[in-house]
């Protein structure tokens, strides 16, 4: 569904992605693990087009989308929930959700009702400023907003960051349910190993701008693997 | 009493003029961080639209409809032909728009000559308000600017385009990652800002001397308004105009114009010192 081949990216003259190859299948939850500074966020930003690739390619549903503008990539069906959530704090919850529909190919701007089935709490807060909600609610809003565009792929960067443990568990459950219902694919960056292993079908590990290991959840659960690649 | 009413209405006229000129500037500056030193020339283009329309026998109302269309067209042309290549280089934009302003001024002067253009207001006479007799055209100008403020507020608050603008102002990258074509939002917002300035030009023209350099009078003050009031919102423009125009209107009554303008500048600096994001931050 989404593939990269020797994808490279840099901040100015500093190379960060040194050649990333990955393949995300249809209906798959793929966890991307790796230490702080490995380049996970950089990869996400390159996939959505916010950062220009300096080499390699990205293909989505058979089309080469390397270095397409972000709005174009979004309209093709890739939704992005950035690290830190990226909600518009001064806009209302309803307005944030409406902005999620801008990527819909049918041009409609009404928020699909399923979003409120997944996150009933958003319905109660529609007229509230998004910035006044708790971290967990903001994360639900960010995911709900991404789903409002009816995407085929969800890029999710550290959804558990800065959120109460009880809600972290819920987010994992939401993700599995959404994938089961819609058949969407998810690329999930997570520092919370438990959440990643509980949610994902498959894991890849990034180190210094490259994918250095790939394996099933069972293989990754192995103590030595964890220590080798993920310990600080 | 009578003098008081006149004083207040004079201040309201000045505030209205500042609001009209500054609204477009605030949208362009707030959205794109573009310091557009040619903004005053969009006002001039509006005033010349009135002069030309009336010279050809057309009436004021035709010009009032034509001016925003011509302004928007110029704005779009300039954004597409020049500004959009310079978003990453703010200093180049300042220089380029300054140069553009000069070209427009000289161009107008070459075509129309240096003498002031003749324009006439659509309504004459005075209206009696609480014992003071006040020119009807100025009251109309105040009324129009209130309408335009409300229209701008509604556009930003309730339309799809308005929501896109507010999203882009808050977080341009996130807006584009959600599927908003931010370059298109830029171009349209620039055209809107130019159209508003051109409307201002028509409304102001009968009260001032219409020459190619007239825009300069409004440029500096409208930047004060936007910086003092707060960037990127209608509320900020109204607050900034009320402060700058109100102070100037009242002080003009007792002091020479140059002194009162200098005092307004001092007040602006003091306010920005204590509220760096303006009176009503967006
Ligand atoms: N905006 C930036 N400018 C320059 N360097 C950056 C920027 N963002 C991240 N980096 C650098 O790129 C590397 C990868 O960062 P990042 O992709 O955020 O890692 P991760 O998400 O895996 O923690 C780090 O060395 C980081 O310092
Ligand atoms: Mg990161």
């Amino acid at each position: 569904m989404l593939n990269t081949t020797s994808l490279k990216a840099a901040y100015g003259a500093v190379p960060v992605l040194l050649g990333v190859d990955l393949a995300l299948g249809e209906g798959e939850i793929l966890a991307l693990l790796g230490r702080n500074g490995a380049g996970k966020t950089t990869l996400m930003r390159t996939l959505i087009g916010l950062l220009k690739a300096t080499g390699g390619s990205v293909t989505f549903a058979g089309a080469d989308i390397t270095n397409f503008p972000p709005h174009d990539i979004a309209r093709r069906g890739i939704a992005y929930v950035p690290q830190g959530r990226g909600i518009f704090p001064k806009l209302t919850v309803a307005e944030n959700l409406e902005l999620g529909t801008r990527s819909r190919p049918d041009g409609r701007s009404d928020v699909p009702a399923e979003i409120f089935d997944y996150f009933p709490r958003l319905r109660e807060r529609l007229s509230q400023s998004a910035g006044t909600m708790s971290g967990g609610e903001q994360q639900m809003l960010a995911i709900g907003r991404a789903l409002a565009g009816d995407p085929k792929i969800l890029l999710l960067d550290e959804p558990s960051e800065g959120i109460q443990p009880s809600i972290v568990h819920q987010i994992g459950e939401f993700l599995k349910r959404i994938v089961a219902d819609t058949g969407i694919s998810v690329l999930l960056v997570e520092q919370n190993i438990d959440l990643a292993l509980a949610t994902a079908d498959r894991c890849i590990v990034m180190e210094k701008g490259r994918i250095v290991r790939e394996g099933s959840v069972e293989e990754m659960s192995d103590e030595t693997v964890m220590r080798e690649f993920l310990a600080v | 009493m009578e003098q008081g009413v006149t004083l207040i209405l004079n201040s309201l006229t000045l505030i209205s003029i500042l609001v009209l000129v500054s609204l477009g500037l605030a949208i362009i500056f707030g959205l794109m961080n573009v310091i557009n030193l040619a903004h005053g020339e969009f006002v001039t283009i509006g005033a010349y639209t009135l002069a030309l329309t009336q010279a050809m026998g057309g009436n004021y109302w035709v010009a009032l409809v034509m001016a925003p269309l011509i302004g928007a067209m110029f704005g779009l042309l300039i954004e597409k032909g020049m500004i959009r290549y310079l978003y990453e280089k703010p200093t180049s934009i300042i220089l380029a728009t300054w140069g553009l302003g000069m070209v427009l001024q000289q161009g107008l002067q070459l075509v129309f000559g240096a003498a002031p253009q003749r324009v006439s207001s659509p309504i004459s006479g005075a209206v009696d308000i609480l014992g003071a007799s006040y020119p009807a055209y100025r009251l109309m100008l105040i009324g129009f600017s209130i309408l335009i403020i409300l229209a701008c507020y509604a556009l930003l608050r309730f339309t799809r385009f308005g929501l896109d603008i507010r999203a882009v102002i808050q977080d341009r990258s996130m807006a584009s990652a959600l599927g908003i074509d931010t370059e298109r939002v830029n171009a349209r917002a620039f055209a809107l800002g130019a159209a508003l300035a051109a409307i201002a030009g028509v409304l102001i023209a009968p009260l001032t001397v219409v020459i190619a350099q007239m825009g300069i009078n409004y440029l500096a003050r409208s930047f004060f308004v936007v910086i003092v009031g707060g960037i990127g919102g209608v509320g900020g423009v109204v607050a900034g105009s009320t402060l700058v125009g109100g102070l100037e209107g009242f002080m003009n009554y007792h002091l020479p114009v140059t002194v009162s303008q200098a005092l307004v500048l001092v007040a602006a600096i003091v306010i920005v010192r204590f509220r760096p994001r303006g009176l009503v931050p967006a």
Side-chain angles (χ1 to χ4, degrees), chain A residues 36 40-41 83 157-158 189:
Chain A
N36 250 330
K40 305 180 298 293
T41 296
Q83 191 170 0
D157 198 348
E158 301 212 23
V189 169

Side-chain angles (χ1 to χ4, degrees), chain B residues 156-169:
Chain B
L156 287 173
R157 186 77 186 68
F158 300 116
T159 68
R160 184 184 171 112
F161 176 50
L163 180 57
D164 287 355
I165 287 187
R166 286 182 295 145
V168 173
I169 288 179

Side-chain angles (χ1 to χ4, degrees), chain A residues 48 50 70-71 74-75 78 80 82 86 88-91 95 98-100 102-103 107 109 145, chain B residues 157 159-161 163-164 166-168 170-171 173-182 277 282:
Chain A
I48 196 68
L50 288 172
H71 67 89
R75 288 177 195 176
I78 302 183
Y80 174 50
F88 300 98
K90 286 177 185 156
L91 302 185
E95 287 169 337
E98 184 187 334
L99 287 167
R102 291 295 190 264
S103 57
S109 59
R145 181 179 66 181
Chain B
R157 186 77 186 68
T159 68
R160 184 184 171 112
F161 176 50
L163 180 57
D164 287 355
R166 286 182 295 145
V168 173
Q170 274 189 49
D171 187 341
S173 299
M174 196 61 228
S176 68
L178 288 174
I180 294 171
D181 184 345
T182 57
R277 304 194 52 234

